Amino acid sequence: MVWSSSLLQLLHVGARALDLLCPPTCAACGSVGAEVCRSCRCSIVEELRTYRLSRSADPNCTIVSEFGGRVRDVLSGMKFKNHRGAARYLGGLVARKLISDGVVPGVDVQAVTWVPTTARRRRDRGFDPSELMARIVGAQLGLPVVRMLDRVDSGEQKSRSRIERLNGPGFRGRRTRFDRVVLIDDVVTTGATMAAASGALRTAGISHIHSAAVTATPRRRVETFQSDREQYS
């Protein structure tokens, strides 16, 4: 135990030293100093203060923000510019929103899982953004993070017909000892992906699913943003 604690301290010191030698840049604006700079964080606070989601009052769905503004910029930087550290900030936003929505860890939900990206996307990026955020959410809520879904469709969203996209991708659920979970994704548009993932979880024995995402497109703007979501899949 002492050895493990010393190792963690050493890794922390090493990370701090690396930041001094190669300081991180903001995922949204590129300024030096933090994965999400103070200016962008302040902008996001203002965006969230005025944000109103028109799509749903579903008590089992948590959305942090509308798909746009600085939140979208941070998400884009994480996914397309390898700003993996931004997942800590975005995952923190999701965790805090879950608590403010009244979700009680250990009572309402027992574990955290995520909607997996395609194998090709994971290879290209070297990581799965939703998994990174799910692990932050789990850490902040004090819940285990467990992979419960496998992606079984081989095609990218952009290669599929509109009807196929609306039906959602294919998933296969893994059986675990948990039956009440939080399901994390990055962006929700039509809701088809979340619905497909939730269906696979229920087939695997999950009785209660609370879905959560960083952003969502209002229903009246789904068609406008559909092409944007395809590249975010």
Side-chain angles (χ1 to χ4, degrees):
M1 182 66 72
V2 174
W3 183 87
S4 297
S5 177
S6 298
L7 179 59
L8 288 175
Q9 291 177 357
L10 182 62
L11 290 173
H12 179 68
V13 171
R16 293 294 300 273
L18 184 61
D19 283 347
L20 291 174
L21 293 173
C22 303
T25 57
C26 178
C29 70
S31 63
V32 177
E35 283 288 354
V36 182
C37 71
R38 180 175 298 180
S39 176
C40 288
R41 288 174 186 246
C42 289
S43 296
I44 289 172
V45 168
E46 290 303 313
E47 290 172 6
L48 299 185
R49 191 170 291 166
T50 59
Y51 171 67
R52 295 292 183 273
L53 188 66
S54 61
R55 71 159 53 227
S56 172
D58 183 355
N60 292 319
C61 180
T62 289
I63 304 294
V64 174
S65 173
E66 183 173 308
F67 187 61
R70 283 303 190 192
V71 174
R72 176 183 175 180
D73 293 341
V74 172
L75 189 61
S76 177
M78 177 182 68
K79 299 180 75 168
F80 303 125
K81 299 178 183 178
N82 201 30
H83 284 274
R84 304 185 191 192
R88 289 192 295 269
Y89 176 73
L90 295 173
L93 290 180
V94 174
R96 289 192 291 274
K97 188 64 166 62
L98 283 164
I99 295 299
S100 71
D101 282 354
V103 176
V104 180
V107 178
D108 298 320
V109 291
Q110 305 161 331
V112 179
T113 191
W114 67 93
V115 177
T117 189
T118 64
R120 178 183 174 185
R121 292 288 191 185
R122 188 181 183 100
R123 285 195 305 270
D124 290 346
R125 294 178 181 135
F127 66 101
D128 185 334
S130 293
E131 179 182 357
L132 291 185
M133 291 187 292
R135 296 197 180 281
I136 296 300
V137 172
Q140 295 200 6
L141 297 185
L143 296 174
V145 180
V146 182
R147 176 158 192 161
M148 301 182 187
L149 289 166
D150 292 308
R151 194 115 178 193
V152 297
D153 60 318
S154 57
E156 294 291 326
Q157 284 285 78
K158 64 183 179 182
S159 69
R160 308 172 77 212
S161 70
R162 180 175 181 277
I163 296 299
E164 288 174 325
R165 291 197 304 268
L166 289 174
N167 287 337
F171 297 99
R172 182 185 298 111
R174 299 182 181 185
R175 291 193 175 274
T176 71
R177 62 188 177 88
F178 305 105
D179 61 5
R180 303 178 66 83
V181 303
V182 175
L183 175 62
I184 304 294
D185 201 4
D186 50 10
V187 184
V188 174
T189 52
T190 65
T193 298
M194 275 290 197
S198 295
L201 288 175
R202 290 192 179 92
T203 299
I206 303 298
S207 62
H208 175 78
I209 301 162
H210 189 107
S211 58
V214 178
T215 66
T217 58
R219 283 178 177 173
R220 65 181 182 277
R221 300 170 68 186
V222 164
E223 291 297 326
T224 301
F225 285 112
Q226 182 63 46
S227 60
D228 288 329
R229 179 60 180 91
E230 290 166 12
Q231 65 174 320
Y232 276 77
S233 63

